[in-house]
Amino acid sequence: MDVQEMLEMMRDPLGAPFFPVVFQALLVVTWVLHIHFVTGAIGSSTFSIFAFLRKDPSLLRLGRITARLTPNMVGLGIVTGIAPLLFVQTIYDPLWYAANTLTGFWSVTFIFIVMGGYSLAYLFYLKGSKDGRLLWSAVASLALLCFAGWVMHVLQQVSIRPDQWMSWYAPGGVIDTRGIQFHAYDVPRLMFLLPLQAGLSFAATLMFVAWYLRQRTDADLAFLDWTASLGRRIGLVVAPLYGVFGLLWAFTEGPEFGLTAFIAAVAVGLSVGLFAFFWLQGKRPVLAGAKALGVWALALLVVAVTREVIRSVSLSRFNYSVATYPYIIDWGSVLMFGVTSVVGVSVVTYLIMVIYQSGQSADGTVSAKAEGFGRVATAMLGAWFGFFVLVGLFSSLFLR
């Protein structure tokens, strides 16, 4: 049996419930949200530790804010990670399950690593961010979150090399079921996607937060100007390093898939573009906060597409393509997914509106339109929950 036959036999025999390329597009888009929050959490955690070690008054003030931001970012990273994971399991099921089998110990441990990272980040925010006590918990949290990123990196690297699965599963003809080996990794790629993107996510977030809070009537404009300037300076420092490690990634992983020039061009283009953007905000970076977040989202979209190109080219060597993935349109599943998405997005939109509007006013008020939209979104959520309960009861009582 060759690799192509193996991949075809490992696919879900029922196929995807809808057009596979739609799931591929959703995978790319939802990964952008996920990676922003993940890298933002690592960036804010790193800054908090740095601020409490330096003990500069302005750094400490911002460090307390970022200590609060870290567990929020981790939580959002976990929630937004569900969507891309769902789409990976749908159209790349042979890759995902094989990688998890080959690295089974770490795949299971990953859950507890993230739980520990989140819990320790929250512990520092709750008990230590006022006076810097329990700084060890912030350091341990950062270490665990980075290690979780390493595990996901290894899973990704293993998944796009199906021609090596058998040699990893049974080295020398002896089956190894421990799942503890880190079979494949690329350090420049990891540096590009995790710590350096963490710096850029944090820089964009600082500029956005400063722009957002300066609209309050009780805003400390001098502090917010300093915060935005700090974000710009971080961006100017990290952007060139982003390009350097992108080039290293191109020359370490690129030759294997014939994508050296492509990855290099993307890395250099992003590095130059981001550096130019941060450089051009020299006069009043606080006014460019919303623009900074938008530019960074666009950059992450380019990275997401690049990752997908690498995966597609890797699998094309074995004639595996999302475009040829079998599918049978299941309108019931599509309808359930669509309505659930609409309800979920409505509720999240309402929460974002409340957070945005209440944070802009000193007394925390929101507009009547937001309240009205909230009532509709909440009613939709209640009705949809009731529908699921009725479906469950019907299935249990009449479809046994």
Side-chain angles (χ1 to χ4, degrees):
M1 180 187 298
D2 59 21
V3 176
Q4 179 181 348
E5 291 175 327
M6 176 185 70
L7 291 174
E8 290 177 352
M9 292 183 67
M10 291 175 68
R11 290 193 299 202
D12 186 347
L14 295 177
F18 199 63
F19 300 109
V21 291
V22 174
F23 294 122
Q24 188 177 32
L26 290 172
L27 166 60
V28 169
V29 173
T30 54
W31 183 85
V32 171
L33 285 173
H34 169 64
I35 201 64
H36 170 67
F37 291 124
V38 168
T39 53
I42 292 174
S44 60
S45 177
T46 302
F47 181 82
S48 296
I49 296 168
F50 172 77
F52 280 96
L53 289 175
R54 285 289 302 273
K55 299 186 183 303
D56 176 82
S58 295
L59 290 176
L60 278 174
R61 181 178 177 183
L62 185 57
R64 293 186 181 96
I65 296 173
T66 56
R68 180 178 182 178
L69 180 64
T70 300
N72 294 332
M73 284 284 203
V74 175
L76 288 168
I78 294 171
V79 172
T80 54
I82 296 172
L85 175 58
L86 170 66
F87 301 127
V88 164
Q89 291 175 327
T90 302
I91 58 176
Y92 292 121
D93 42 331
L95 282 64
W96 175 251
Y97 293 115
N100 275 270
T101 300
L102 291 167
T103 322
F105 176 82
W106 297 112
S107 299
V108 174
T109 308
F110 172 82
I111 301 171
F112 300 99
I113 294 171
V114 174
M115 288 171 58
Y118 175 83
S119 300
L120 289 171
Y122 192 77
L123 173 65
F124 179 68
Y125 153 63
L126 195 63
K127 297 294 185 180
S129 59
K130 290 184 178 180
D131 52 13
R133 292 184 303 117
L134 303 177
L135 188 60
W136 64 267
S137 63
V139 175
S141 171
L142 177 61
L144 288 173
L145 294 176
C146 288
F147 187 63
W150 165 260
V151 172
M152 284 294 103
H153 167 73
V154 170
L155 283 173
Q156 168 71 11
Q157 292 291 94
V158 168
S159 71
I160 61 175
R161 292 171 173 84
D163 53 322
Q164 300 185 47
W165 289 350
M166 284 303 299
S167 63
W168 290 333
Y169 178 65
V174 180
I175 295 177
D176 182 3
T177 59
R178 296 174 300 166
I180 62 173
Q181 295 292 323
F182 297 123
H183 295 293
Y185 51 85
D186 186 277
V187 174
R189 171 176 173 146
L190 178 66
M191 291 294 295
F192 180 88
L193 293 176
L194 198 63
L196 293 176
Q197 284 193 168
L200 292 169
S201 286
F202 184 64
T205 300
L206 283 184
M207 293 178 66
F208 176 78
V209 169
W211 167 82
Y212 166 67
L213 292 178
R214 75 183 301 273
Q215 301 174 64
R216 291 175 56 125
T217 56
D218 59 344
D220 185 342
L221 298 180
F223 175 72
L224 295 178
D225 284 340
W226 174 83
T227 300
S229 297
L230 176 63
R232 173 180 174 268
R233 292 198 300 272
I234 292 173
L236 288 173
V237 171
V238 177
L241 296 175
Y242 197 52
V244 169
F245 278 91
L247 285 174
L248 292 175
W249 173 22
F251 289 109
T252 52
E253 187 172 61
E256 182 179 356
F257 306 121
L259 291 172
T260 302
F262 172 72
I263 298 174
V266 170
V268 172
L270 287 175
S271 175
V272 172
L274 289 168
F275 183 86
F277 171 78
F278 286 116
W279 179 267
L280 291 173
Q281 313 311 317
K283 292 183 178 181
R284 293 294 304 277
V286 71
L287 300 179
K291 192 187 300 181
L293 199 60
V295 168
W296 179 233
L298 182 60
L300 287 178
L301 182 60
V302 173
V303 175
V305 171
T306 302
R307 291 176 71 254
E308 193 61 22
V309 168
I310 294 172
R311 177 159 42 199
S312 298
V313 170
S314 169
L315 297 177
S316 67
R317 299 176 298 169
F318 315 107
N319 295 319
Y320 186 101
S321 171
V322 172
T324 59
Y325 193 96
Y327 68 93
I328 300 175
I329 298 181
D330 181 354
W331 288 111
S333 298
V334 172
L335 181 62
M336 295 280 281
F337 175 79
V339 176
T340 302
S341 298
V342 170
V343 173
V345 169
S346 298
V347 173
V348 172
T349 301
Y350 168 62
L351 294 175
I352 292 173
M353 291 171 65
V354 170
I355 294 171
Y356 183 84
Q357 293 184 9
S358 62
Q360 281 191 318
S361 62
D363 56 356
T365 58
V366 297
S367 67
K369 287 185 178 179
E371 292 291 356
F373 181 81
R375 285 191 291 271
V376 173
T378 305
M380 291 169 57
L381 180 63
W384 197 232
F385 178 77
F387 171 76
F388 270 100
V389 171
L390 291 176
V391 170
L393 291 174
F394 178 80
S395 301
S396 300
L397 296 176
F398 301 103
L399 299 181
R400 290 183 294 176

